[in-house]
Amino acid sequence: AAEELAANRVHFRDLIHPDDVERVRAATRDGLQARRDIEVEFRLLTRGGEEKWVLSRCRGVFAADGPLLFLEGLAIDITAQKRAEAHRLELERRLLDGQKYECIGLLAGGIAHDFNNLLTPILGNATLARLALPSGSPLDPQLRAIETASLRAAELCQQMLAYAGMGRLNIEPADLSVLVENLRPLVEVALVRRASLHLALTPALPAVLVDSALIRQSVMNLILNAAEAIGESGGEITLSTGLMRADRPTLAACAAGAALPPGDYVYLEVRDTGAGMTPETVSKIFDPFFTTKFTGRGLGLSAVIGTVRGHKGALRVESALGRGSVVRLLLPPAPGFAPLPPRAAI
């Protein structure tokens, strides 16, 4: 209250946000030394802990013989402007991300289609040539190698199409918990001596309409990426499923699906105890061929986000250096499911 400040029971400097104190002191010190006006933006903390942004404009009043007598000025509440600016920047970021993914997706989809057209005669002619050879021909291994390489290239094309959201989907109802449980043997083999796996699967989830093969591939990509983050030091990967209510702020923070309507979603979450990532790395992990590793460049996570878009879902990543990462995939339940009660939000 004003009377508390007037009576010196509360000092203005004690209200400044701890993270802004040094910046305010430096600006004030430099202004006083130069005997010029001081203008600085910073945050104040209210008694209840709420942050308020202010624009402070002040100047030093000095005695005739030189010493500083006091500071005079004002502090303008600019909280509303700061929030509006943050909202505008978030909208711009989402627009730029959407444009970037759309451009890369169109490029990837076009290349994949043309590349597939080239692979078809290569694979077909190699197969015909091998079948025409006599049994035991020394050319058989080379032709089989051409077939194998062509099939792997075709798989890469499918990943590119998945990233572009142009892949063919074989949609069918599925229970995410059952789908993950069936993956357990394959996952445990992939994680041997790298990380321990824990499953926290919710039974009898509402069905989701998905291409089960693509979802399985996405889950494997997320788990292998988590294992890479853990490295040789060992750690834990927790794979969980459930039903949650996603509000608008939750969806707005997603790397994909930010424009989806709030509501109930079936989720699949991969949590690891790895090294974690900086915000800059998180913003790039779904770009094609981006990697923080020396080897392993590819379309794994790019295909994951493409698959999520193709299923009209959302994908959220939370990570911090030294604290591991959490990737949560949200999928809309099939029509006809029973909605959650009001308090069952997450």
Side-chain angles (χ1 to χ4, degrees), residues 152-218:
R152 289 180 179 173
E155 291 175 359
L156 178 61
C157 288
Q158 291 305 311
Q159 288 189 358
M160 294 174 70
L161 288 171
Y163 171 77
M166 299 165 62
R168 294 181 179 177
L169 300 180
N170 182 23
I171 297 297
E172 58 184 3
D175 184 321
L176 272 188
S177 294
V178 174
L179 188 149
V180 171
E181 182 62 45
N182 291 338
L183 271 179
R184 184 202 288 262
L186 185 60
V187 172
E188 289 177 343
V189 169
L191 294 181
V192 63
R193 298 181 182 178
R194 299 173 72 181
S196 58
L197 177 69
H198 300 279
L199 298 183
L201 308 178
T202 301
L205 280 175
V208 287
L209 298 176
V210 296
D211 185 319
S212 296
L214 285 178
I215 297 298
R216 282 194 292 266
Q217 184 182 31
S218 296

Side-chain angles (χ1 to χ4, degrees), residues 22 51 77 113 124 126 131 154 159 175 202 210 228 268 291 295 318 340-341:
E22 287 304 320
E51 291 184 5
D77 187 344
H113 277 300
L131 293 175
Q159 288 189 358
D175 184 321
T202 301
V210 296
E228 290 285 353
L268 184 150
T291 182
T295 60
E318 299 175 32
L340 287 169

Side-chain angles (χ1 to χ4, degrees), residues 234-253:
E236 296 182 354
I237 297 175
T238 302
L239 188 54
S240 57
T241 59
L243 184 63
M244 61 175 280
R245 178 157 296 154
D247 55 20
R248 193 168 297 282
T250 298
L251 292 168

